[in-house]
Amino acid sequence: MVTAAQPLYALPRVPAGAVRHLGPNWYATVMGTAILATAGAALPVRPPGLRPLLAACWVLALVLLLALLGARALHWRHHRDQARAHLLDPATAPFYGCLAMALLAVGGGALTVGRDWIGIRAAVALDAVLFTVGTAVALTAAVAVPYLMALRHRVRASQATPVWLLPLVAPMVSAALGPLLVPYLPAGQPRQTLLLACFALFGLSLLATLAMLPVVFARLLTGGPLPLVLTPTLFLVLGPLGQSTTAVGKFAEAAPGVLPGPDSRGLAVLAVLYGVPVMGFALLWLCLATAHVVRARRHGMGFAMTWWAFTFPVGTCVTGAAALARHTGLFAYDVLACALYVVLVAAWAVAATHTARGLLSGELLAAPRPAPSAPRRATARTTSGAVR
């Protein structure tokens, strides 16, 4: 319990016990809210009044990030046993990639729409800090989580879920958002260094994802459907697909004047030659994941925090489709971006409403109920409330 001898200035009214089961998966709420702003700003249409709404979404994401950082600090201070258990739980540890992506998403949103409210100088400074910290956390998670899975978790292929992709896709978010800072650096080496560093992050995340995705796909095809509560995580596969398409588009847009002419033109070609087939696969996976979710819903799938998987990954496909629309000039990609954004808004509204209800009732912060016995029990085990 919190006593007078243990003042908690960041969150003075939050009892320490209330955050015992607050896992890193909660950063998905920040990601899903921030992508509303950045994806909306990328749309080819500009309805009147849209920009202030997007800025308000970004402010909400910033507030959520600050609140969760404070709550998680409280969690680590008073519940270190639970925090260590999260790291040693193969169902929970991958969610540490969400921390990095939450920092990066809010930072990118500052330059995209947040500058309307806080000014360009403050937006650049905030994005620079969050991009630096978020990238450091992303690289740490991309190394540490697979290391723990190999040496401490001892997972089996039959336990594979799309959640395993989270720490690997975090550097891709850095790659997609880093080019926003390029114009604000001194010309010459600083701009080139940042842009090529983002390209390296793109390659790191892409190759790691390509190594992991077959494991997840094979588990789905040979092991049968995922447990109901984990079915929404199939949408997580859209994350690296949409984010990588967005990244190559951003590279092509930032390269002129930064890289030599041939390199700049090569990135413009890459944006189309890479983005078109990858977006095609993303649409295929979207259909497959939707079919699984419809089946799970018919079999009684209720709300869980995994429903936030319907937001950020879909948002990255919005920005990816918008990037392809800019580079190809095809109206079809404009329509696709707008249609996916409608899906994103609807998914966010549903997830946010159920999350608010769960917080008010206390159910989402309660101790997780024991997983029912099943042949693949480990795939549904959790200690964070991430999959309930």
Side-chain angles (χ1 to χ4, degrees):
M1 294 295 293
V2 181
T3 66
Q6 296 174 312
L8 298 175
Y9 301 106
L11 292 170
R13 297 181 181 179
V14 179
V19 297
R20 176 168 176 78
H21 301 287
L22 184 75
N25 60 300
W26 277 81
Y27 286 111
T29 62
V30 179
M31 298 161 54
T33 304
I35 200 67
L36 276 179
T38 52
L43 292 176
V45 295
R46 298 287 188 275
L50 176 63
R51 188 81 181 183
L53 288 176
L54 299 180
C57 288
W58 175 78
V59 171
L60 177 59
L62 177 61
V63 171
L64 288 173
L65 176 63
L66 294 175
L68 281 172
L69 288 174
R72 288 287 295 166
L74 192 65
H75 177 271
W76 273 93
R77 177 174 177 177
H78 291 276
H79 305 291
R80 293 182 183 176
D81 60 326
Q82 188 74 356
R84 286 192 293 269
H86 287 170
L87 283 173
L88 297 178
D89 184 354
T92 306
F95 284 100
Y96 274 91
C98 291
L99 168 59
M101 290 186 279
L103 294 168
L104 293 163
V106 172
L111 267 184
T112 305
V113 295
R115 62 183 183 179
D116 295 352
W117 287 20
I118 64 176
I120 188 63
R121 294 185 63 181
V124 171
L126 179 60
D127 188 22
V129 171
L130 292 180
F131 175 78
T132 302
V133 176
T135 301
V137 175
L139 291 174
T140 301
V143 174
V145 174
Y147 177 84
L148 286 173
M149 292 176 71
L151 272 71
R152 299 296 299 273
H153 298 164
R154 301 298 176 88
V155 294
R156 300 184 300 275
S158 61
Q159 296 175 272
T161 73
V163 172
W164 290 8
L165 294 170
L166 287 173
L168 304 179
V169 75
M172 187 66 78
V173 181
S174 293
L177 295 176
L180 294 175
L181 288 168
V182 169
Y184 301 99
L185 293 177
Q189 290 280 330
R191 293 185 181 182
Q192 292 179 12
T193 300
L194 177 57
L195 186 56
L196 291 180
C198 290
F199 198 42
L201 290 168
F202 166 83
L204 179 158
S205 181
L206 178 63
L207 294 176
T209 299
L210 290 177
M212 184 68 73
L213 189 54
V215 178
V216 175
F217 199 14
R219 154 66 182 86
L220 185 64
L221 294 180
T222 63
L226 294 176
L228 297 183
V229 75
L230 287 175
T231 302
T233 64
L234 289 171
F235 275 71
L236 294 177
V237 176
L238 298 175
L241 303 175
Q243 200 67 274
S244 60
T245 303
T246 303
V248 292
K250 292 293 186 182
F251 298 155
E253 293 162 12
V258 176
L259 299 179
D263 295 343
S264 178
R265 291 190 294 272
L267 287 176
V269 173
L270 178 65
V272 176
L273 294 185
Y274 174 88
V276 171
V278 170
M279 185 56 63
F281 180 69
L283 293 177
L284 170 66
W285 192 271
L286 176 61
C287 294
L288 176 65
T290 301
H292 275 265
V293 168
V294 171
R295 172 197 169 275
R297 190 67 174 158
R298 288 176 176 173
H299 283 74
M301 180 187 74
F303 174 74
M305 288 299 289
T306 50
W307 281 34
W308 282 96
F310 298 140
T311 57
F312 190 80
V314 173
T316 66
C317 291
V318 174
T319 56
L324 285 174
R326 293 192 300 271
H327 288 281
T328 64
L330 291 178
F331 179 69
Y333 285 117
D334 290 334
V335 174
L336 177 61
C338 293
L340 289 174
Y341 191 72
V342 172
V343 174
L344 169 62
V345 172
W348 181 88
V350 172
T353 299
H354 282 284
T355 301
R357 289 175 180 172
L359 281 174
L360 291 175
S361 67
E363 182 181 358
L364 289 180
L365 292 178
R369 291 186 290 270
S373 58
R376 292 184 298 276
R377 182 181 181 184
T379 60
R381 180 171 58 86
T382 179
T383 61
S384 69
V387 288
R388 292 166 54 89

